[in-house]
Amino acid sequence: MNFVDPAFFLLFLPIALLIFYAAGRLGGGQLAAMAYGLASVVFCVPFGWRFVAVTLGSMLINGVICGALVSDRPGPSQRRWLLRLGVTSNLLMLGLFKYIPAFTTIRPIGAVAPILLAWVPITISFMTFQRLVLLVDCYRRDPPAVAMIRKGRGGAVWFVAFTMGFANLLIGPIAFAREIAPQLLSRRFGRVRLIDIEVGLTLLTIGLFKKLVIADTLGTDMVDPVFKAIASHHAVLGIDACVAIPAYYAQLYFDFSGYSDMALGVARMFGLRLPFNFNSPLRATGIADFYRRWHITLTRIVARFLFQALSLRGARLARRRKWKGVRRSLFELWLPLTINFLVIGLWHGAAWTFALFGLVHGTWYTIETEVRSWPSFRNWSRRSSDRLRTALGQMVTLIPLALTFALFRSGTLGDYRRLLMAAWHRLPVSAAPPNTQVVHSGQWAELAAAFAIIWLLPNAMELLSRYRPGIVTFAVPSHTPRWLALRWRPNWLWGVFVALLMVCVLRMCGYSTPFVYGGF
């Protein structure tokens, strides 16, 4: 079951909400949390009993270790061993079910890979990272994590609700205990609030519209035919290749941000506010600005637990060896940034395309960081206007990002090379004759409309800002034109708008494709 399945939003979700609020009225927040946790288990059942067994087994192991970490019995050394055990068990599970099947060319692994893929048919990366973050919070005895797990005899109920919550179980966003635990433990949890239902339903509808009406249309009409032809070593027309690159950039945004809006909406219907995962990333004015807007919850976790640790070690090493200049920057900033982005790339899967994607973004981020530290750049920034800096930043950011995400979409480095050759009208000699043109005049209008929405209209975070639809992680400037800075209100006019979006969704729900990030 997933969010775009009509059985989910027309049957499962209404029933789960009715049971949740009935449980909250009869037994308070703890019984409501139990209903939410049980609904999450039911949500996983369509993926097969093996996936349910892996998910619950992982939850049980992490629950036992988290409970021991927040108790008073283990000493410092025992707590360190418990943390290592928890981190190792989670990473082993992630490696077993996600990365080992990628090495199918190795004979023993090739025989086992189909079995592993049958056990976990969808992503477990988000779920694993969510539990790893909670383990670290418990080790550090972060007060919200401790309060959630040690809440009387019902600590297990709150733990299950946090780690198994189906709103963000499969494709995020990844939340910290300090963000969710206070909401779960609040006296208001499980109580009916009309504004939660209204905001949540609006977010869910916007997300469904992004995914089904925009992302899937772009993918079917402009992206998939070109990339499939490239993968089959068929030549494609240069115009089709040039359109497929930005079209995939837009498709990926609407697909993943649409899912994130749905997750925010579903959680809000249950009275929970999740952290935002997107904040108009395609309006970014640089690679640093992009990663404050794109996949925000993954960015902050990798930066917190990997980059900061590596940078601190590099700074200590440079200070101990009395290094300065290039050598100090290399160990204190450049290498940590490169490793940070390499991990972000490989997090998506064990492929050379993902590794190169991470290395390119890491190198780009490093160069941009150094350029922004130059006195001449700072002087220019002080003298120039915000509008000029924004326009120039977006211009120099758009094309490189679109090209690197085309690498992200390509199956192999060879496919990416053929795509670029086609885009430059230099088709490989060995390619089959080109197919007819894929992109027609009506599809050009679709692509233009998609980028108009991206660049001009307020995102879901801005649209519903009066009602706090989610938790803001990074504060970034809004580039929405003032005359289009619309704000949602719970009135009949916006109700009609949301109803029209839902009509469009229902017309398209039979033609949905899997989420792009569903395989990561």
Side-chain angles (χ1 to χ4, degrees):
M1 186 183 300
N2 59 58
F3 290 167
V4 296
D5 188 344
F8 170 78
F9 59 84
L10 296 178
L11 185 63
F12 173 83
L13 183 58
I15 293 174
L17 284 169
L18 287 173
I19 295 174
F20 171 79
Y21 283 116
R25 187 172 183 84
L26 294 174
Q30 186 168 331
L31 191 59
M34 186 179 297
Y36 183 53
L38 290 174
S40 302
V41 176
V42 175
F43 177 80
C44 295
V45 167
F47 296 112
W49 68 268
R50 297 179 181 87
F51 176 75
V52 175
V54 170
T55 304
L56 293 180
S58 167
M59 183 193 68
L60 181 61
I61 294 171
N62 282 276
V64 171
I65 296 174
C66 285
L69 286 171
V70 301
S71 68
D72 299 325
R73 283 174 289 182
S77 61
Q78 293 173 315
R79 295 180 71 252
R80 284 194 294 270
W81 278 108
L82 284 170
L83 177 64
R84 291 168 186 164
L85 176 63
V87 171
T88 302
S89 63
N90 280 282
L91 293 181
L92 281 176
M93 184 189 73
L94 187 62
L96 180 65
F97 292 109
K98 179 172 181 174
Y99 292 101
I100 288 182
F103 300 96
T104 54
T105 54
I106 302 175
R107 186 172 297 177
I109 296 177
V112 176
I115 301 173
L116 296 175
L117 291 174
W119 272 79
V120 182
I122 58 173
T123 178
I124 60 170
S125 302
F126 291 90
M127 176 182 69
T128 304
F129 272 47
Q130 178 78 73
R131 294 171 183 183
L132 280 170
V133 167
L134 182 59
L135 274 171
V136 176
D137 284 343
C138 290
Y139 173 75
R140 295 176 177 174
R141 293 189 173 173
D142 192 45
V146 174
M148 179 176 65
I149 295 176
R150 297 181 68 175
K151 181 136 177 99
R153 296 182 179 179
V157 173
W158 307 109
F159 176 82
V160 172
F162 178 80
T163 56
M164 284 292 296
F166 68 90
N168 61 324
L169 177 69
L170 299 181
I171 315 182
I174 307 165
F176 290 119
R178 65 172 182 268
E179 295 169 329
I180 306 301
Q183 300 181 65
L184 289 172
L185 302 179
S186 170
R187 293 181 179 179
R188 293 178 296 178
F189 186 67
R191 295 182 183 178
V192 179
R193 295 179 71 236
L194 183 59
I195 192 63
D196 287 341
I197 303 297
E198 292 170 334
V199 171
L201 184 59
T202 300
L203 283 167
L204 176 62
T205 305
I206 291 173
L208 287 168
F209 185 86
K210 283 182 178 180
K211 163 63 179 169
L212 296 175
V213 179
I214 304 178
D216 285 359
T217 300
L218 291 172
T220 302
D221 292 348
M222 284 172 265
V223 178
D224 294 341
V226 172
F227 280 92
K228 287 179 180 177
I230 292 289
S232 301
H233 293 255
H234 289 89
V236 297
L237 296 178
I239 185 64
D240 288 343
C242 290
V243 169
I245 292 172
Y248 177 69
Y249 190 36
Q251 180 203 2
L252 182 62
Y253 166 75
F254 282 112
D255 184 281
F256 197 12
S257 70
Y259 184 96
S260 298
D261 289 345
M262 293 180 228
L264 289 172
V266 170
R268 185 60 181 266
M269 291 186 197
F270 288 90
L272 297 173
R273 293 169 59 243
L274 296 176
F276 286 109
N277 222 8
F278 287 86
N279 192 348
S280 297
L282 273 62
R283 302 181 192 177
T285 58
I287 189 68
D289 187 36
F290 177 78
Y291 275 98
R292 285 191 291 266
R293 298 170 178 269
W294 171 274
H295 210 339
I296 299 169
T297 58
L298 176 65
T299 299
R300 66 176 182 173
I301 286 171
V302 176
R304 175 184 174 185
F305 295 110
L306 181 63
F307 170 74
Q308 291 180 5
L310 291 175
S311 181
L312 182 61
R313 286 178 179 270
R316 288 174 176 171
L317 178 63
R319 187 164 53 249
R320 191 166 57 248
R321 300 287 180 89
K322 298 181 179 180
W323 289 338
K324 294 182 180 180
V326 173
R327 187 179 295 184
R328 178 174 180 175
S329 297
L330 177 65
F331 285 89
E332 189 174 338
L333 182 63
W334 300 348
L335 280 178
L337 276 175
T338 303
I339 295 171
N340 179 88
F341 281 96
L342 179 61
V343 169
I344 288 178
L346 292 175
W347 179 86
H348 296 91
W352 287 112
T353 51
F354 296 139
L356 183 58
F357 174 87
L359 288 174
V360 169
H361 278 209
T363 304
W364 183 3
Y365 199 110
T366 302
I367 293 172
E368 181 179 298
T369 302
E370 292 297 322
V371 169
R372 289 182 182 276
S373 68
W374 292 351
S376 57
F377 182 86
R378 292 178 178 177
N379 291 334
W380 175 81
S381 297
R382 283 194 296 267
R383 292 195 304 268
S384 59
S385 65
D386 290 341
R387 184 174 297 179
L388 175 63
R389 290 197 305 273
T390 298
L392 290 176
Q394 290 175 341
M395 288 172 58
V396 301
T397 303
L398 174 64
I399 295 177
L401 278 177
L403 289 172
T404 54
F405 274 101
L407 169 65
F408 186 91
R409 173 63 173 81
S410 301
T412 65
L413 294 178
D415 291 348
Y416 184 61
R417 180 181 63 85
R418 286 189 290 273
L419 176 70
L420 295 182
M421 291 175 69
W424 284 95
H425 303 280
R426 295 180 180 178
L427 302 177
V429 177
S430 60
N435 299 321
T436 58
Q437 185 172 346
V438 172
V439 182
H440 303 291
S441 58
Q443 294 163 347
W444 277 101
E446 293 174 5
L447 184 60
F451 274 97
I453 293 172
I454 290 169
W455 284 330
L456 298 176
L457 294 184
N459 57 39
M461 174 180 170
E462 296 172 326
L463 187 66
L464 288 96
S465 59
R466 289 194 177 106
Y467 301 92
R468 299 192 306 155
I471 300 170
V472 178
T473 301
F474 299 118
V476 294
S478 171
H479 301 309
T480 302
R482 291 185 179 180
W483 59 280
L484 285 175
L486 306 172
R487 294 296 180 265
W488 177 90
R489 290 182 179 275
N491 56 31
W492 68 269
L493 185 62
W494 281 104
V496 170
F497 173 75
V498 172
L500 291 175
L501 291 185
M502 183 55 74
V503 170
C504 297
V505 165
L506 292 175
R507 287 172 59 88
M508 298 291 293
C509 64
Y511 307 97
S512 63
T513 59
F515 286 98
V516 174
Y517 265 74
F520 299 146

